[in-house]
């Protein structure tokens, strides 16, 4: 251990000197961890940490003990170093290398803060609370893994970090109602969140499609409400669902609490109630009874009643919820409650009159205020989506702003607390890039950069009002995010950007520096077996055909513009000495193009490798085509997914795509790889009719010239693909045409269900 004397003053983040594992080649000036610490400095010298290094923690301090154990486990897993745990006895023969200390005084304004000092005296983590002790451990783990090595001694530079989060609410919302995740997976997610210093897991447990929480007093909520019919393309249905037992929930809540994470349960009301009301129709607002939870997605009219019996039912449920979730906040939804059933119910209209309530918005406000009074009487706080502002906000309620920032701003101006989770950019069920290999999600892009640059301090608010902004949260809705692998793809690495946006004020964030640290973070993800999305660094190519010649002009880029792109065109592997891409280049066909983003001689993510030939350069995946109408579009896959199967982008109300500027000279045919999916969209009414012209029974894919009302130049009957649970190639000849045209590709079917989608289209040249 050789550290020079500590120089003794702090630098602001922007002028920090390098403080990292010696071996880390961080050009980044910040310690190579995510989120970056608010302040740090470095001295010279290093401390080595190797197998057998001792960690001590104060006797009888379970938080410090847990932080030390957490550090030991994650370091062993990701760095292969075995640390030895030792409770402090006061007369230890040798001082421990790593020491956890509890600050005697709580620092109420700096919750979750910690100091980490690396010096001649060893490594010390000092904090006043559980979060600070844990986050000190997480920072040390970051430094010990900063070189990306998976084993061997780590060498740390000497210096100090003094750190605290900007925002107290740093959250992720997981929707387990539309698709469930295993308890084991949620446990992993809690660990991953802790490693990003996030502290709120908002757990969406009930919705139209499923009720996922065991409630002892009302067993039918899970006997009936947890199981929906999953439609298939063959017309059969399977039973899909499940629920979390109270024992499992208690286990997860305790597991999260040790990791400084509060689980905030969400029990939706008065809308998104179809699953509950399938189980207990007597608490609904309509005589129309549902046999099962909804199999479709969208906004349903099904609302709870507002009578005393229903409020008692909900209070009894919330009583069990409060027993399971000891945190302050209980989320009661409040969003997207279409008031049709309340308007149509004579009993509810009579109740409104008796209460002197003038409209249904006010009635929802009355409903939420009753629930808020109940929760408040039990020492809890109500949290709801920003619709709870409509008709008047309950006195003790906190608003989760999702339809933009306005709900959060309005709440803060009224003196209420708010959490910012606007759809743009904090809905992680939106795609993170428009690449063809992106996972399913909503059409609009919430890129890594969008998340990173999210403004957590709205200028509409005064400094005083801003104190009501508790923090930020990313929401992952799972209608189209079916598997745990897909959940990871959507969460990572955007979770890293979210963590830094929550931890640092906007003026302290540095995008390029973050990207350099993300290169290291991706190695940690690999060591933790997190399947993150490659979107930020993966090379993409755009090829432009040179008309009449067997050549293309190739343009390479990656989403963030980070690093250098190197490439080869002779089939050889791309290395750190391959040519650097500077500008578009011509390539004769066929050629094998390989490319990768490089940073400091390494490839952060996977390489690009593509055979370019006369057919492949004329291929377009659905994502490479233009949608005829963008909204409402989803990138989707079959449910359950076909392993290795397609992910397709379609407007479900208007399945129509444009192959832009297709060079049709010398093209003899067109082939399309198509698939059909059960129509699971509740708002089917607004779909325009598209009757087929020649293939009345199964429908057809029409190819129209220049515009979608242009002449039909080819028709591909869907017959061969009907009922296939995977893609099918369709093929037809094209008439001889010259020059460049847009092609409109449009499904024409007499039925809305199934939804037909294109996966891939290719134009076939006469000579290849
Ligand atoms: C929401 O996305 N309906 C809160």
């Amino acid at each position: 251990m050789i550290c020079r004397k500590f120089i003794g003053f702090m630098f602001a983040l922007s002028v920090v000197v390098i403080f990292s594992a010696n071996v880390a080649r961080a050009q980044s000036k910040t310690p190579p961890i995510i989120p970056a610490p608010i302040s740090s400095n470095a001295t010279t010298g290093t401390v080595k940490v190797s197998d057998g290094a001792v960690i001590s923690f104060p006797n009888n301090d379970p938080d410090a003990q847990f932080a030390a154990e957490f550090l030991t486990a994650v370091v062993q897993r990701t760095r292969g170093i075995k640390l030895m745990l030792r409770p402090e006895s006061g007369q230890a023969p040798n001082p421990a290398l790593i020491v956890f200390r509890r600050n005697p005084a709580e620092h109420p304004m700096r919750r979750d803060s910690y100091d980490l000092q690396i010096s001649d005296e060893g490594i010390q983590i000092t904090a006043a609370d559980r979060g600070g002790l844990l986050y000190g451990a997480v920072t040390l783990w970051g430094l010990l893994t900063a070189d990306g090595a998976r084993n061997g001694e780590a060498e740390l530079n000497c210096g100090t970090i003094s750190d605290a989060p900007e925002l107290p609410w740093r959250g992720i919302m997981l929707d387990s109602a539309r698709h469930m995740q295993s308890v084991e997976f949620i446990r992993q997610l809690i660990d991953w969140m802790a490693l990003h210093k996030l502290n709120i897991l908002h757990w969406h447990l009930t919705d139209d499609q499923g009720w996922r929480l065991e409630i002892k007093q009302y067993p039918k909520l899970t006997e009936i409400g947890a199981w929906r019919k999953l439609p298939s393309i063959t017309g059969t249905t399977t039973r899909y669902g499940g629920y979390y037992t109270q024992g499992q929930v208690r286990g997860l809540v305790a597991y999260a609490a040790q990791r400084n994470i509060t689980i905030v349960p969400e029990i939706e009301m008065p809308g998104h109630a179809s699953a509950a009301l399938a189980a207990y129709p007597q608490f609904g607002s309509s005589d129309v009874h549902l046999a099962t939870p909804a199999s479709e997605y969208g906004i349903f009219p099904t609302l709870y009643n507002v009578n005393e019996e229903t409020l008692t039912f909900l209070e009894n449920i919330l009583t069990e919820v409060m027993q399971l979730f000891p945190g302050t906040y209980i989320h009661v939804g409040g969003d997207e409650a279409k008031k049709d059933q309340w308007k149509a119910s004579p009993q509810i209209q009579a109740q409104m009159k008796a209460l002197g309530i003038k409209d249904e918005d006010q009635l929802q406000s009355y409903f939420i205020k009753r629930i808020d009074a109940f929760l408040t009487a039990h020492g809890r706080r109500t949290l709801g989506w920003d619709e709870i502002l409509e008709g008047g906000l309950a006195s003790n309620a906190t608003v989760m702003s999702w339809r933009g920032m306005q709900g959060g701003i309005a709440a803060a101006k009224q003196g209420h607390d708010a959490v910012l989770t606007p759809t743009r950019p904090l809905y992680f069920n939106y795609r993170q890039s428009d690449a063809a290999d992106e996972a399913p999600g909503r059409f609009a892009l919430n890129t890594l950069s969008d998340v990173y640059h999210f403004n957590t301090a709205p200028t509409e608010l005064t400094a005083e009002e801003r104190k009501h902004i508790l923090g930020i949260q990313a929401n992952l809705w799972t209608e189209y995010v079916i598997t745990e692998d897909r959940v990871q793809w959507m969460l990572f690495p955007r979770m890293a950007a979210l963590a830094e946006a929550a931890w640092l004020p906007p003026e302290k964030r540095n995008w390029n520096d973050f990207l350099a640290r993300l290169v290291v973070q991706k190695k940690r993800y690999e060591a933790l077996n997190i399947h993150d999305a490659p979107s930020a660094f993966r090379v993409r190519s755009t090829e432009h055909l040179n008309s009449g010649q067997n050549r293309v002009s190739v343009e390479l880029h990656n989403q963030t513009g980070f690093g250098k792109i190197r490439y080869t065109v002779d089939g050889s592997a791309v290395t750190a000495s391959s040519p650097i891409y500077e500008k578009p280049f011509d390539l004769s066909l066929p050629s094998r193009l390989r490319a990768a983003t490089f940073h400091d001689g390494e490839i952060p993510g996977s390489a690009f490798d593509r055979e370019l030939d006369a057919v492949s350069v004329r291929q377009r995946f659905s994502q490479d085509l233009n949608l005829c109408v963008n909204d409402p579009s989803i990138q989707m896959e079959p449910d359950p997914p076909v392993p290795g199967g397609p992910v397709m982008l379609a407007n479900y109300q208007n399945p129509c795509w444009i192959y832009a500027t297709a060079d049709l000279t010398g093209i003899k045919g067109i082939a399309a790889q198509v698939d059909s999916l059960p129509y699971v969209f509740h708002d089917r009414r607004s779909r325009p009719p598209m009757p087929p012209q020649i293939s009345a029974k199964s429908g057809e894919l029409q190819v129209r010239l220049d515009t979608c009302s242009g002449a039909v130049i080819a028709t591909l009957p869907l017959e061969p693909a009907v009922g296939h649970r995977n893609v099918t190639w369709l093929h037809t000849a094209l008439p001889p045409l010259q020059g460049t045209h847009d092609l409109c590709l449009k499904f024409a079917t007499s039925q809305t269900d199934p939804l037909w989608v294109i996966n891939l289209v290719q134009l076939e040249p006469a000579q290849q």
Side-chain angles (χ1 to χ4, degrees), residues 339-354 357-358 360 363:
K339 308 294 188 311
D340 301 3
Q341 291 188 347
W342 284 358
K343 286 182 182 149
S345 161
Q347 169 249 315
I348 289 172
Q349 291 299 315
Q351 187 186 0
M352 280 170 64
K353 206 162 170 198
I357 288 175
K358 75 172 189 336
E360 288 73 22
L363 185 63

Side-chain angles (χ1 to χ4, degrees), residues 459-474:
T459 50
E460 292 89 336
L461 297 178
T462 63
E464 203 50 36
E465 288 164 345
R466 261 183 224 159
K467 290 184 186 152
H468 286 295
I469 303 297
L470 299 181
I472 63 173
Q473 176 177 295

